[in-house]
Amino acid sequence: MKMDKPLIMVSSVTYAMQGRELLKAYGIKSQIERTPKNALRQGCGYSLSVPQRTDEAEKLLRDNGIKVLGRAERSRKL
């Protein structure tokens, strides 16, 4: 069975690290991952994987000055 893993693409690895810490402070789990090549348009190629509360996480990142490039999904097997 495959499910999609939501990713929030950011413009630098520094923003990814800052974003992960910000989300942690709000109780939102996230991981820094490489952006899939098929989704890579610009930036450094790093994303935050946010399996739950993804919309809330993206809004928090934007509201706190983290440059978000967009969203992508990565297929994963369960």
Side-chain angles (χ1 to χ4, degrees):
M1 181 173 159
K2 288 185 180 181
M3 291 187 64
D4 289 328
K5 182 183 210 180
L7 300 173
I8 300 172
M9 298 182 293
V10 294
S11 63
S12 71
V13 70
T14 302
Y15 276 139
M17 292 186 294
Q18 290 173 351
R20 181 184 59 193
E21 293 305 310
L22 173 71
L23 296 178
K24 183 178 178 182
Y26 283 88
I28 300 174
K29 292 182 182 183
S30 66
Q31 286 184 289
I32 298 172
E33 294 193 9
R34 294 290 291 172
T35 301
K37 288 182 183 181
N38 63 342
L40 190 59
R41 292 181 285 243
Q42 57 184 342
C44 69
Y46 285 93
S47 294
L48 289 166
S49 168
V50 187
Q52 297 176 336
R53 299 169 60 189
T54 310
D55 292 337
E56 179 184 359
E58 182 177 347
K59 183 174 182 343
L60 282 168
L61 293 171
R62 289 182 188 276
D63 289 350
N64 285 277
I66 305 294
K67 187 173 180 184
V68 174
L69 300 176
R71 299 261 286 260
E73 291 186 349
R74 174 175 295 170
S75 294
R76 61 182 174 173
K77 292 181 181 178
L78 290 182

